[in-house]
Amino acid sequence: MNGQLFEYSSSFDKLRTNGKKMKTVILGLGNTILTDDGVGIYVVREIQKLITDHQSPITIKEASLGGFNFIDLLAGFDRAVIIDAIHTKDGVPGEFYELDPAALNPSARLSSLHQIDFATACELARNMGVAFPVEFAIFVMEVADEFSFGEKCTPKVEAAVPKMSEAIVQILIERKWMNDAAKRS
Amino acid sequence: MKRISIDPVTRLEGHGKIEIFLDDKGDVANAYFQVPELRGFEKFAEGRPVEELPRITPRICGVCPEAHLMASAKACDAVYGIEIPSTAKKLRELQYSAFFLGDHTTHFYALGAPDFVMGPDAPKAERNVIGVIKKVGLEIGGQVIKTRRECHEVAQILGGKPVNPVNAIPGGMSKGLTKDERARIEQIAKDGVEFGKFTQKIFEDVVLKNKAYVDIIVSDPYTFPTYYMGLVDGSNKVNFYDGKVRVVGPDGKEHCKYAPNDYREFVAEHVEPWTYLKFPYLKKIGWKGFTGGPDSGVYQATPLSRLNASDGMATPLAQAEYEKMYKTLGGKPVKHNLAMHWARIIELLYSAERLLELVRDEEITGPEYRVLPTKTPSEGIGIVEAPRGTLTHHYWTDENGIVKKANLIVGTTNNHAPICMSLKKAAQGVIKAGKPVTDGLLNMVEMAFRSYDPCYGCATHSLPGEMPLEVIVYDRDRNIVHRLSR
């Protein structure tokens, strides 16, 4: 699934900072035909179910893209929550955690092989005067297999999707990025 | 929830690796690269209705989805024995031209330009599109973003989605073009042509007027003669969407020209024990190992190969630039790998001109943009030029159109052997016994790799960015003497 598969936002917005309405996007990244790679997408779909349509100033997007496309996907938002798969050497499939956004700074040697990386896309957008998020939260889940074709996650990853979705919503409420009332009871 | 930082190269599974092995003296003995590869596509495709493949195959790759869409739709047309209406063909090529314009723009400004604008040995942190903008001016960044956005808008107009449209279907297109939509695309195409001209000017000012850079382009480490492949139209002009595959030799003479259906008579695949990736080669010449020249079946399929394999460009401005390139670099074929960047921006201009030409074509708003398949499906082959090389989709189905077998040769796979050899040659040229190996030198090795715009990146969107790459140099005892990660 790519681009803006579904999107909703509400005009009813109780969340304001210094009188400014803060627009938040939750972006799920991944490819749902590559086994666990689609986990970011599955998590945002689950988050969609956890929040109400009426009280949340939140936009949910899905994409299987990177590089320059981040600019198009995130432009116009003040805050971005990004959810993706990760596969580290000692990672335990199904474990999820928050990535330090500072780790995405170019000084951390993150250059891209094919396109521009996330940090460069952010810097480019800001240099070009594109309205771009100032705050980021990045959540990732450790996966087992993101290189085989398949439309279903491996069992441990699949089982962790609801837990991760619930945890992210809770964190966003605690950080006041999301209205408490936005959560379905 | 815990919060962590990660180092992509040392911690992430599945990164790319270039390994350089030195001999006793400290000169380069060999160079290899390895990348993670997607598995199991054939099995995944088996048992599905063939008309699903134009919707699925674009999702294989986040970088060139339209190339898979077009090759797949063409293979499906062939499976059902359909000749699609002229309007449908033009609509597909229109959409594909916009895709090429956007893709080549991304590649040149994000990957090609930084090495030349900032210099090959500039610090890594500056050698990127931000550095380019800081040095050459904010206007460039604005133009790049606008061009990309407008190319996505063409896809949105034609396919209902800005990226990964799925409107090319067996028998034609799912939707036609209205007069209003056509007017908007015409404006986008005009902007694209201006941007194409602007890009030639940047290349002229930044690269061609800098003798040191031209010297690097024509230098021996980046010069590598092989056969060259590309799709051509009836007049042997470059075409991305349709035509015959033409191959010329290192001497520029035609080796063969074949219709997509005959590809297996001309191309075979070699297997090596150290990688799952295959190495396609020209069957009639044969696999002679990792070597170039007229006696080796190794060929390249790149923007430069397409220009080498053709007799010219089908649009006037691109043709003028084509002539200029061959005049500057000493005639056809050009064997300098770094000239691929030049070829790519000539194609960028061509795709904008072609977009304008097609949108002004009277037939483009025609009502006949699809025919329904009526014949019994069996087997079909679709070939297009992807930005990174000739892309082949080959499907076999049963009489109900259920896929029995599928075979893809993707753009970068064509170039697998040439990339290995180019890497080795560049490494041998810049790394010398007794001279310290520096990050700047290793970047110059990587430039040979990067010029191909290699895209194994079917999995490139896993955070924290794109696929990390590591270059490791080993001495004769296999001790690591230098490591560069990015």
Side-chain angles (χ1 to χ4, degrees), chain B residues 87-152:
Chain B
T87 294
K89 204 168 164 182
K90 284 174 181 167
L91 282 169
R92 284 188 188 171
E93 195 181 341
L94 179 81
Q95 182 169 333
Y96 204 41
S97 300
F99 162 68
F100 252 83
L101 174 58
D103 193 87
H104 274 1
T105 297
T106 304
H107 181 274
F108 178 69
Y109 286 96
L111 267 142
D115 281 327
F116 292 108
V117 176
M118 309 309 293
D121 48 7
K124 277 176 289 183
E126 291 168 20
R127 227 181 331 99
N128 58 34
V129 65
I130 312 285
V132 172
I133 290 167
K134 281 184 184 151
K135 198 154 167 189
V136 190
L138 270 180
E139 192 197 351
I140 288 187
Q143 291 277 351
V144 170
I145 291 176
K146 177 170 173 275
T147 302
R148 284 181 40 83
R149 191 178 56 229
E150 292 190 338
C151 291
H152 287 165

Side-chain angles (χ1 to χ4, degrees), chain A residues 46-109:
Chain A
E46 201 64 27
I47 290 175
Q48 169 94 34
K49 290 184 207 157
L50 293 173
I51 58 181
T52 67
D53 299 19
H54 306 296
Q55 297 201 305
S56 169
I58 301 258
T59 300
I60 292 184
K61 292 189 183 192
E62 301 180 0
S64 64
L65 306 158
F68 272 101
N69 298 292
F70 281 124
I71 298 177
D72 307 325
L73 289 163
L74 302 178
F77 292 97
D78 304 295
R79 285 173 176 146
V81 179
I82 295 172
I83 304 166
D84 199 1
I86 200 163
H87 192 160
T88 63
K89 284 199 167 65
D90 303 314
V92 179
E95 268 193 6
F96 50 87
Y97 47 88
E98 185 169 3
L99 268 192
D100 184 357
L104 299 175
N105 189 288
S107 63
R109 302 185 298 187

Side-chain angles (χ1 to χ4, degrees), chain A residues 1-2 30-34 37 64-69 72 82 84-89 95-101 103-104 109-116 120 123-124 127-128 138-140 145 147-151 167 171, chain B residues 1-13 36-41 44 48 56 59-60 62-63 106 110-111 129-130 133-134 138 141-142 145 148 152 163-164 388 449 453-454 458-459 461-464 466-467 469 486:
Chain A
M1 293 297 111
N2 304 291
N31 188 340
T32 52
I33 62 167
L34 287 176
D37 193 82
S64 64
L65 306 158
F68 272 101
N69 298 292
D72 307 325
I82 295 172
D84 199 1
I86 200 163
H87 192 160
T88 63
K89 284 199 167 65
E95 268 193 6
F96 50 87
Y97 47 88
E98 185 169 3
L99 268 192
D100 184 357
L104 299 175
R109 302 185 298 187
L110 281 169
S111 288
S112 133
L113 179 65
H114 178 76
Q115 254 220 9
I116 56 174
T120 308
E123 197 184 341
L124 178 62
N127 279 1
M128 299 313 304
I138 298 159
F139 300 99
V140 291
D145 181 3
F147 290 112
S148 296
F149 285 95
E151 289 174 296
I171 287 172
Chain B
M1 206 186 293
K2 67 181 167 172
R3 184 160 168 160
I4 66 159
S5 299
I6 71 148
D7 174 338
V9 162
T10 56
R11 293 204 47 192
L12 281 188
E13 292 288 359
E37 194 203 5
L38 300 182
R39 297 176 289 250
F41 179 74
F44 185 75
R48 292 174 188 270
I56 291 173
R59 288 163 59 197
I60 292 176
V63 178
T106 304
L111 267 142
V129 65
I130 312 285
I133 290 167
K134 281 184 184 151
L138 270 180
I145 291 176
R148 284 181 40 83
H152 287 165
V163 284
N164 286 24
R388 289 145 203 91
F449 178 76
D453 188 11
C458 308
H461 46 265
S462 281
L463 276 175
E466 315 288 323
M467 186 170 81
L469 182 70
R486 56 171 207 94

